[in-house]
Amino acid sequence: MVRRRQRVSLAAYLALLPMAATVLLAYLGTMLWTARVSVSSSRTFPNSDFVGAAQYIRLFNNERWLLSLQNIAIYGVLFIIACLAIGFLLAVFIDQKVMAEGALRTVFLYPYAMSFVATGLIWQWILNPELGIQEVLHKLGFTEARFDWIVDQDMAIYTIVIATVWQASGLVMALMLSGLRGVDEEIWKAARIDGIPRWRVYLSIVLPMMGASLSTAFVLLFVMVVKVFDAVVAMTQGGPGTASEVPAKFIMDYLFGRANIGLASAASIVLLATVLAIVAPLYFVRSRRAAKGGAA
């Protein structure tokens, strides 16, 4: 019996070897290589020299990079807040035991199954001043109506927010709905007896109980913010000009378009450090809470 268990255990470890090799070589290995290139003078091809923080200094003296950071900050705040709010409201709506619940869940979650490229193209058509919403309003008689954000340098980044919120809100809805379904029914009974309004129960009792769902949704949305690239390229190509430039597009342009892998690698490491700075504390807090819960 013991030998059989050992054989099963060995087989499980052998089955995990390809994934472990992928993590070590494809992920950890490339991260270390990128970090090494970021402290070299590499341009078209990687060099083995060492220039310290020179690439990082050049990066933060680059106006295009600073603009991309400003855009990603605006985009990230609006995107995360809007997705959490809309996703939670959709989850609350579905949690009311509405008719055709399964169909509604599918409808709300379906946009997330689409690629960001497809989403970007769809919303590019919708927001095109000559084809989309603005043209429809003009044909309806509202000839003075304007909705040309996608070609407006000051508003272009907000069109990316609209498109990606439409796509990602369904994912947040699914996460929030799973959290709502875990709320004890006795809480609702007690609230009804005490005459507490439903909105107050959601804000004061239910939301604090959904910490795991909220933190998971936040981490997933934050990673989407850092990675946003496809929707930007599909909708605006980073324009008009560089008005909707984001860090991921900056990296891809300098890596392939301008053949400057040293600067692109430095930008990649900055994004990696940003993700770790946000995700690591959340993981630490959740681990501590789980440990305390297990000890209790």
Side-chain angles (χ1 to χ4, degrees):
M1 191 67 171
V2 174
R3 290 182 179 179
R4 185 178 178 182
R5 288 180 180 176
Q6 289 177 343
R7 285 197 297 269
V8 172
S9 179
L10 179 61
Y13 283 119
L14 289 174
L16 288 173
L17 276 178
M19 181 58 68
T22 301
V23 171
L24 289 174
L25 298 176
Y27 291 100
L28 184 59
T30 52
M31 282 192 292
L32 293 175
W33 184 83
T34 301
R36 175 65 186 88
V37 172
S38 72
V39 293
S40 70
S41 61
S42 303
R43 290 191 65 84
T44 305
F45 299 102
N47 293 332
S48 58
D49 60 350
F50 179 77
V51 296
Q55 295 285 16
Y56 293 91
I57 294 172
R58 286 182 58 206
L59 180 67
F60 283 95
N61 285 330
N62 188 308
E63 292 185 3
R64 185 177 171 187
W65 171 252
L66 296 178
L67 176 61
S68 73
L69 292 181
Q70 177 182 325
N71 284 338
I72 204 70
I74 295 171
Y75 168 80
V77 170
L78 295 177
F79 172 75
I80 291 175
I81 291 176
C83 281
L84 289 175
I86 295 173
F88 180 71
L89 292 175
L90 290 176
V92 169
F93 168 67
I94 292 180
D95 194 45
Q96 307 306 307
K97 308 296 188 298
V98 296
M99 294 180 61
E101 177 183 320
L104 286 174
R105 283 204 308 263
T106 302
V107 169
F108 293 146
L109 192 56
Y110 179 75
Y112 186 69
M114 300 172 61
S115 71
F116 278 105
V117 173
T119 297
L121 290 174
I122 290 170
W123 280 93
Q124 183 192 59
W125 298 332
I126 292 174
L127 298 173
N128 188 315
E130 298 179 358
L131 301 172
I133 295 174
Q134 179 172 295
E135 182 63 18
V136 171
L137 291 174
H138 288 179
K139 288 182 178 179
L140 291 175
F142 302 97
T143 55
E144 300 298 322
R146 290 189 58 195
F147 196 61
D148 56 354
W149 288 9
I150 200 167
V151 294
D152 186 334
Q153 286 192 338
D154 296 327
M155 304 300 291
I157 192 65
Y158 300 106
T159 64
I160 311 297
V161 175
I162 293 171
T164 51
V165 165
W166 174 80
Q167 180 170 24
S169 294
L171 172 65
V172 179
M173 178 272 298
L175 293 170
M176 295 295 185
L177 185 59
S178 66
L180 288 174
R181 292 290 162 84
V183 176
D184 192 343
E185 188 64 28
E186 295 299 321
I187 293 176
W188 294 110
K189 292 179 180 178
R192 284 195 294 269
I193 292 172
D194 293 338
I196 303 174
R198 290 186 70 87
W199 66 267
R200 185 63 181 271
V201 177
Y202 278 114
L203 290 180
S204 301
I205 300 174
V206 174
L207 271 177
M209 294 175 62
M210 296 174 58
S213 297
L214 286 169
S215 61
T216 299
F218 175 82
V219 170
L220 291 175
L221 293 174
F222 181 78
V223 172
M224 289 182 194
V225 169
V226 174
K227 290 170 55 180
V228 64
F229 171 76
D230 297 350
V232 173
V233 172
M235 289 182 67
T236 65
Q237 289 289 331
T242 58
S244 57
E245 182 83 0
V246 291
K249 186 175 184 301
F250 176 94
I251 292 169
M252 297 300 289
D253 284 352
Y254 273 83
L255 186 61
F256 296 107
R258 302 196 178 194
N260 192 335
I261 63 174
L263 196 65
S265 297
S268 299
I269 294 299
V270 170
L271 287 189
L272 175 63
T274 304
V275 172
L276 292 177
I278 297 296
V279 174
L282 285 174
Y283 178 77
F284 176 75
V285 170
R286 290 184 64 174
S287 299
R288 289 289 299 273
R289 287 180 178 175
K292 288 180 180 179

